[in-house]
Amino acid sequence: MSNILEFHEVAKSYGGVEVFRSIDLEVKTGERLGILGPNGAGKSTLFNLISGLTRPNKGKILFAGHEVGKMRPWAVCRSGIGRTFQIPQPFSDMTVLENLLVGLTNGANMSMREARSRGAEALEATGLAYVSKNTAGELSLLDLKRLELARAVALKPRLLLLDEIAGGLTEVECDTLLDILANVTDSTMTVIWIEHVVHALTRYVNEIAVLADKRIITRGGIDNVLAHPEVRELYFGSTEEV
Amino acid sequence: MERNHFLIQLFFLLVVAGVFGVLPLFVDNGTMRFLTDFFLLIGIAQLWNLLAGFGGIVSIGQHLFLGAGAYAFFAMTSILGIHPYVSLPLAIPFGAALAVPVYAILSRLKLAYFAIGSWVLAEVMLLLAGKIPGFGGGSGVSLSPSIVKTFGTSIGDRMSNIYWLALGITVFIILLIIILLQSRHGLALKAMRDNETAAMAVGVNTVFVKVLLFLISGAFLSLLGAVGTLLRLRISPAASFNITDGTIFIIFIVVVGGIGRVIGPVLGAIIFLVLRETLSAYGPIYMIILGGLAIATMLIEPKGAAGLFGRISKKIRNAG
């Protein structure tokens, strides 16, 4: 399987604050990769770099062989990368359906008729059809998370970036979200999921990478990563088995 | 649903335009002048709202285009000898062309610097206008009687024609904005109004949309500046590039009426004119009340009168 995403020696600083010293990362097509890391480790910055919301100071970010590190966010989206945000970013005064139509008509360049049809499908798949005419600002947290997901998957991205989509949800809501996620993603869609809710993450991803100390400290199968001494140190304050 | 909403807006706009359209047959020149002012304020405020309310472009120098339009109209009619009814529409491409270098400079600035830069550019244009030979220097120059008479030989005829011009242009601007909001660019605009970062992430080319808005705004402000000259019958740097009338009152109108809503500038212009007519005799207190009302709106009801009416009508609907 070929790589759909590659980071080559990517460095990122905000002023004097160094977030990444030199990151190398490869993600294969169809892979489901989870990202763990403590607060401030640069997880959201990683997504902002991929989606063009911020630019690397050094290094290259390749998506399907093309450099996206210097592209504008809308061009990155149009190239096939969809994302959600850690804190939901709805278009609050627009209806739920209109929230999807924005991307479908501007990002996917669809006619209004096609966009309405695709938008309705995405709302059905994410369980939001019942509020399609409500304004997004009125939605509950679970529905806002669903809307984030619906807005991203409606564009049928080749790479989907999920930023703490289970954060703040109850156990039952997490289960619902995982069911939806399984429903809207398939084997052709590569997914990278940043999450603190480890039990939700491990039910969906094949591999996990851990960000800390301005680098990826380990990456691999779920059990191996969670047993890694540095990860244990980070999460449990000890390298001993619990 | 959205299409129905669009048709209702269109119907309402055309009915109101029709009612105002026949008014000159029944009202005196003073009322016509007052209403012409009202239309021009709505037109200018709609264009500022389009920029700031939808595009997130906060300019405090849009009076640059009003002044430039006025001077361009004078140059075309009085210096180049172009017929006034041809010169007026030519103010549109002139304004759009001027918007290109202005935006090229300002787009390098962010947020507060953009706003300050726009103001500085407008002040520079004001100073330059007073230096251009043939435009009367700092005290300006009057339109020649032959140009003025093109719009009517009697004051009544002239006032009616200028009234209809201002009404027609303002209705056209509102129509253009309503149609724009129905398109994919309209969805992009509403999305940018609500959350620019998220809009970019779903594929909205925010740079293109902002340039488009700035060009539309510059083009029609230039036209409105030319029409304003017909009311004043003269151009001068201080009157044509007037920041108080061309930008400060306009910001008040949009904020109090409801930023990011098409109806907002209309409501704001009504509130502004009511306050102006009742309080302007009190001098500085009038300005203090305007400022206080704008601040109170931002703190208590940031969506202005439009937001307030929206909330009230929703409560009534829910209660029903």
Side-chain angles (χ1 to χ4, degrees):
Chain A
M1 201 68 87
S2 60
N3 291 331
I4 194 161
L5 183 74
E6 294 173 18
F7 272 52
H8 295 291
E9 297 176 353
V10 172
K12 178 65 189 173
S13 302
Y14 292 108
V17 181
E18 188 178 48
V19 183
F20 300 132
R21 193 160 293 158
S22 180
I23 293 254
D24 287 296
L25 178 69
E26 289 180 357
V27 182
K28 296 200 182 308
T29 304
E31 192 176 340
R32 292 175 177 185
L33 175 68
I35 306 274
L36 285 175
N39 287 332
K43 301 186 297 297
S44 292
T45 299
L46 187 81
F47 276 9
N48 288 343
L49 284 166
I50 299 170
S51 55
L53 290 174
T54 190
R55 292 186 178 193
N57 300 106
K58 214 182 81 183
K60 280 186 179 177
I61 303 169
L62 303 179
F63 172 66
H66 301 286
E67 180 156 15
V68 292
K70 290 175 183 157
M71 281 164 65
R72 300 282 201 147
W74 53 86
V76 173
C77 169
R78 290 171 189 185
S79 73
I81 298 177
R83 71 165 291 176
T84 69
F85 290 89
Q86 181 184 349
I87 298 166
Q89 308 277 331
F91 305 126
S92 303
D93 277 358
M94 300 174 77
T95 67
V96 169
L97 177 61
E98 281 176 335
N99 264 260
L100 273 64
L101 296 181
V102 174
L104 292 167
T105 54
N106 287 276
N109 212 23
M110 286 182 174
S111 70
M112 201 61 93
R113 184 189 291 263
E114 287 173 313
R116 281 183 183 282
S117 166
R118 174 80 73 83
E121 274 173 33
L123 291 180
E124 196 66 50
T126 51
L128 279 177
Y130 79 107
V131 283
S132 67
K133 290 178 182 169
N134 291 26
T135 50
E138 300 169 358
L139 298 182
S140 66
L141 179 63
L142 175 62
D143 282 348
L144 282 173
K145 299 269 183 178
R146 284 169 158 167
L147 178 58
E148 283 283 311
L149 187 59
R151 211 166 54 182
V153 297
L155 297 167
K156 296 201 185 296
R158 286 184 287 164
L159 171 61
L160 176 63
L161 309 173
L162 303 173
D163 196 349
E164 298 198 25
I165 197 142
L169 300 185
T170 63
E171 198 93 357
V172 177
E173 288 173 338
C174 262
D175 288 344
T176 307
L177 198 70
L178 279 166
D179 289 342
I180 291 169
L181 200 52
N183 189 25
V184 296
T185 54
D186 59 30
S187 58
T188 62
M189 194 186 284
T190 309
V191 180
I192 306 178
W193 184 1
I194 291 171
E195 193 53 77
H196 280 300
V197 186
V198 180
H199 66 84
L201 186 69
T202 53
R203 282 164 61 190
Y204 183 79
V205 300
N206 320 114
E207 279 201 12
I208 289 181
V210 181
L211 272 176
D213 196 21
K214 301 166 190 172
R215 63 193 169 93
I216 294 171
I217 58 173
T218 183
R219 177 185 173 172
I222 297 164
D223 292 338
N224 289 340
V225 166
L226 296 181
H228 190 279
E230 280 189 79
V231 177
R232 301 194 69 77
E233 180 73 36
L234 269 172
Y235 280 89
F236 305 116
S238 159
T239 56
E240 298 294 317
E241 287 278 342
V242 178
Chain B
M1 172 97 176
E2 290 82 4
R3 183 152 185 85
N4 286 347
H5 183 63
F6 168 67
L7 291 174
I8 290 168
Q9 279 184 316
L10 196 62
F11 176 75
F12 186 71
L13 178 66
L14 293 177
V15 167
V16 172
V19 170
F20 276 112
V22 297
L23 269 189
L25 305 175
F26 307 105
V27 297
D28 60 22
N29 290 341
T31 308
M32 269 195 283
R33 190 184 165 99
F34 176 80
L35 289 173
T36 305
D37 228 10
F38 175 57
F39 302 144
L40 293 178
L41 282 173
I42 292 174
I44 299 167
Q46 287 290 357
L47 295 168
W48 196 83
N49 187 37
L50 185 65
L51 276 189
F54 290 101
I57 304 170
V58 181
S59 164
I60 51 174
Q62 291 308 93
H63 52 290
L64 179 157
F65 294 101
L66 290 170
Y71 271 67
F73 177 72
F74 179 84
M76 286 188 276
T77 52
S78 302
I79 299 173
L80 300 176
I82 301 172
H83 193 279
Y85 277 115
V86 178
S87 300
L88 277 175
L90 283 178
I92 295 174
F94 171 79
L98 179 63
V100 174
V102 170
Y103 193 74
I105 296 168
L106 293 178
S107 63
R108 295 166 189 276
L109 307 171
K110 303 283 177 211
L111 303 170
Y113 291 107
F114 184 102
I116 293 165
S118 64
W119 174 42
V120 171
L121 270 185
E123 294 305 302
V124 168
M125 284 290 282
L126 179 152
L127 295 171
L128 280 176
K131 301 284 179 199
I132 309 170
F135 291 85
S139 53
V141 62
S142 297
L143 290 175
S144 71
S146 63
I147 290 166
V148 174
K149 282 181 180 168
T150 318
F151 295 93
T153 46
S154 71
I155 293 176
D157 285 352
R158 197 159 59 240
M159 205 54 245
S160 302
N161 285 332
I162 297 169
Y163 172 97
W164 280 317
L165 265 175
L167 174 64
I169 293 165
T170 296
V171 168
F172 182 80
I173 289 169
I174 296 173
L175 196 60
L176 183 74
I177 293 172
I178 291 174
I179 291 170
L180 186 69
L181 289 176
Q182 289 299 309
S183 71
R184 71 177 60 196
H185 296 313
L187 281 170
L189 276 175
K190 289 182 199 165
M192 285 167 64
R193 172 196 64 191
D194 287 357
N195 194 318
E196 192 171 333
T197 304
M200 287 193 283
V202 295
V204 174
N205 183 340
T206 53
V207 169
F208 170 79
V209 175
K210 285 182 179 189
V211 170
L212 181 72
L213 294 188
F214 206 81
L215 291 187
I216 292 174
S217 173
F220 285 97
L221 280 175
S222 171
L223 176 62
L224 291 171
V227 176
T229 302
L230 297 175
L231 274 185
R232 284 189 296 271
L233 300 177
R234 61 183 285 107
I235 55 160
S236 77
S240 303
F241 292 88
N242 190 318
I243 187 171
T244 309
D245 291 340
T247 296
I248 294 173
F249 286 155
I250 298 304
I251 293 175
F252 171 85
I253 287 169
V254 175
V255 167
V256 170
I259 193 161
R261 272 100 192 123
V262 177
I263 193 69
V266 180
L267 297 175
I270 294 169
I271 294 167
F272 172 73
L273 287 179
V274 168
L275 290 174
R276 191 180 76 180
E277 294 306 303
T278 51
L279 298 173
S280 59
Y282 296 99
I285 290 176
Y286 159 58
M287 296 298 279
I288 291 168
I289 290 173
L290 286 191
L293 184 60
I295 291 168
T297 304
M298 287 184 263
L299 290 173
I300 299 164
E301 181 55 77
K303 291 177 184 172
L308 186 66
F309 288 144
R311 277 201 293 137
I312 291 169
S313 69
K314 194 171 178 182
K315 270 188 185 167
I316 292 169
R317 274 203 309 274
N318 289 344

